Amino acid sequence: MTPHHTDPLETLAPELPWAPDWADVVARARGRRRHPAGARTRFGPTKRRRVLVLVLVAAVAVPFVAYGAASDWWFLSSGASPRPVHAPVVVKEGEWSGHAWQLVAYPSTTDGLCFGVTPKGAAAGEGAGMACAPIAGVARTDETKATPDMTITYLISGSSRDFPAYVAGPVVDRAAEVEIRFATGGALRVPTFAGARSLGRVRFYAAELPADVHLGSRPTNRAPVERLSGLDSSGTVVACLVPGTAVEGISPLSDCR
Amino acid sequence: MNRLLGEIEAVYRRRGADFFRFALARIGEPEAAHDAVQEGFAKAVHSRRSYRGTGSVEAWIARCVINAAHDLLRRRTAADNADPGIGSSSLGPSTSEIDVEIVRAAVMQLPQRQRNALFLRFYLDFDYAAIAETLGIEVGTVSATLHAARAALAEQLQEVKR
């Protein structure tokens, strides 16, 4: 290396102590992140929260004005979505307050299961959103990022002029119902439905948000969803996500009991 | 396959600090830079079967680290857009931080290819062939890319000084 001491690039990245941790590299490569005893994870609580809001971001921060034909989904034509392992599948169609929608999903090569909600038949796709996450029961590829499998996650979108607010997502296939507790204090309990066999062992849920849940007015640093529980047919918790405390999208089941 | 794993580990132990500086220049935060290096090498270990064996292992790993840094920045930008309160600070930057920010702002003005080429050359001491291999460009264009990057960076910084 031939850096000159006055080179601006020296300023940009000074020589800081480097703490090699090969075991952590290997653990990440195997899909598990190593947390040395007594040590904090690389990302502190704030960063964890940042990762967790990604799913929310995909829906809220991307006001897609796009609607794709079956062979030309907006999320693929935008070029920003992970590459699919196979063609997206329409998991379910429905209607919220007179607005038809489709829940679409596909396994990606790098980011686990991608799923999205698309207004159906609208001239513009306002309200459309998508997110990706590694979910237990969905096959990984060689390129899938080394983050642990989640049992449940969510995509949430605030109401727009053309489309109602909603929450949707995948959950492990043992879940018969999903209970969503919102930061505003309201709660919602919705049945799950099966996905296509090609997606893996995963179920989905989707619901219009109650009128008292206002995403736009949520306090800073506070996720709109306080707790997300997947329940089996006997009411036992089989999936859990508490965005405020989860680490890399994972919450112990005990957090939802 | 185990031989390649050994080579990746050797690169990590020999050049880890340089990759860390490389990621730090790209991302700006030591913790996140460390994370990008770890993720990049993990990606290399995980997908080592896809390494064709025709180019340098270091160039291939550099591509993995660049992608990891890119993913991290993309996630962070998205998260910040969603909730601007996260990570905000009421403290003003120190003088040295301002200097760094000036350089960073100037560097960020460069096209991504020029920026990556500059960083690969400066922090990892890659030769033209390795830079070309990492960025997927012709060896013959590396010199011009570096020259353009240097000229643009100097001009940006000169403008700030005026």
Side-chain angles (χ1 to χ4, degrees):
Chain A
M1 200 185 304
T2 54
H4 190 271
H5 72 283
T6 58
D7 195 304
L9 295 182
E10 285 283 357
T11 313
L12 193 60
E15 288 190 36
L16 297 177
W18 160 247
D21 188 348
W22 178 249
D24 177 54
V25 170
V26 173
R28 287 172 189 238
R30 288 177 182 153
R32 294 186 304 275
R33 198 163 176 181
R34 195 173 71 99
H35 301 297
R40 190 164 89 76
T41 53
R42 299 286 178 211
F43 281 166
T46 302
K47 291 287 175 55
R48 287 180 206 143
R49 200 157 49 229
R50 283 182 178 178
V51 173
L52 283 166
V53 297
L54 285 179
V55 172
L56 163 69
V57 170
V60 175
V62 188
F64 289 103
V65 180
Y67 177 75
S71 58
D72 184 26
W73 293 102
W74 57 266
F75 42 82
L76 294 181
S77 58
S78 74
S81 303
R83 220 156 15 98
V85 172
H86 61 66
V89 175
V90 176
V91 176
K92 192 178 175 73
E93 295 184 336
E95 198 175 286
W96 291 319
S97 302
H99 296 269
W101 54 268
Q102 291 179 308
L103 176 64
V104 186
Y106 70 87
S108 73
T109 55
T110 53
D111 290 57
L113 182 70
C114 293
F115 57 99
V117 170
T118 295
K120 190 181 178 190
E126 192 175 348
M130 82 163 308
C132 303
I135 299 291
V138 176
R140 286 173 171 260
T141 72
D142 282 350
E143 298 175 72
T144 303
K145 289 170 186 167
T147 51
D149 280 344
M150 302 169 78
T151 54
I152 187 170
T153 188
Y154 67 97
L155 168 69
I156 196 163
S157 175
S159 60
S160 66
R161 198 180 47 204
D162 298 322
F163 203 69
Y166 62 85
V167 60
V171 61
V172 289
D173 71 343
R174 284 170 293 155
E177 284 185 315
V178 166
E179 186 185 74
I180 307 140
R181 288 189 178 277
F182 298 96
T184 51
L188 197 61
R189 197 159 172 150
V190 295
T192 63
F193 45 86
R197 188 171 295 178
S198 62
L199 297 174
R201 297 176 55 195
V202 63
R203 293 178 71 80
F204 293 85
Y205 65 95
E208 185 175 357
L209 290 185
D212 62 341
V213 176
H214 302 290
L215 302 182
S217 60
R218 72 185 194 278
T220 302
N221 283 0
R222 196 171 176 198
V225 170
E226 194 170 88
R227 196 174 86 182
L228 204 57
S229 315
L231 310 167
D232 69 10
S233 53
S234 64
T236 304
V237 175
V238 293
C240 177
L241 176 62
V242 180
T245 57
V247 177
E248 292 187 300
I250 310 293
S251 295
L253 296 181
S254 57
D255 281 6
C256 289
R257 286 180 188 133
Chain B
M1 207 48 60
N2 281 341
R3 197 170 69 84
L4 182 55
L5 180 62
E7 280 186 51
I8 296 170
E9 183 178 1
V11 171
Y12 179 82
R13 297 196 184 286
R14 193 177 66 245
R15 303 293 314 272
D18 295 332
F19 274 97
F20 174 58
R21 277 191 87 190
F22 174 78
L24 181 61
R26 184 78 180 80
I27 298 171
E29 293 175 11
E31 267 198 347
H34 189 283
D35 203 51
V37 173
Q38 297 295 101
E39 282 296 329
F41 274 85
K43 164 90 174 165
V45 170
H46 184 76
S47 58
R48 60 189 186 277
R49 284 183 180 82
S50 66
Y51 175 62
R52 293 176 187 167
T54 51
S56 101
V57 176
E58 280 191 23
W60 177 65
I61 292 171
R63 197 155 55 218
C64 293
V65 173
I66 287 173
N67 287 337
H70 181 75
D71 283 353
L72 201 145
L73 282 169
R74 191 178 56 184
R75 290 198 303 263
R76 192 172 59 176
T77 302
D80 285 349
N81 286 344
D83 200 339
I86 295 176
S88 64
S89 168
S90 58
L91 296 173
S94 69
T95 308
S96 61
E97 282 171 337
I98 291 170
D99 289 340
V100 170
E101 288 313 310
I102 288 171
V103 175
R104 184 174 307 286
V107 164
M108 291 308 289
Q109 295 291 319
L110 299 177
Q112 189 167 305
R113 180 180 288 180
Q114 286 185 14
R115 190 165 61 230
N116 282 331
L118 198 61
F119 287 179
L120 288 167
R121 180 70 174 164
F122 187 83
Y123 297 109
L124 294 176
D125 199 23
F126 274 13
D127 60 22
Y128 287 8
I131 292 171
E133 197 182 329
T134 305
L135 301 181
I137 60 179
E138 293 296 322
V139 177
T141 65
V142 172
S143 176
T145 303
L146 285 170
H147 180 75
R150 277 292 183 191
L153 182 60
E155 191 179 341
Q156 292 277 350
L157 292 173
Q158 200 60 42
E159 274 188 18
V160 171
K161 283 178 186 171
R162 279 183 203 136

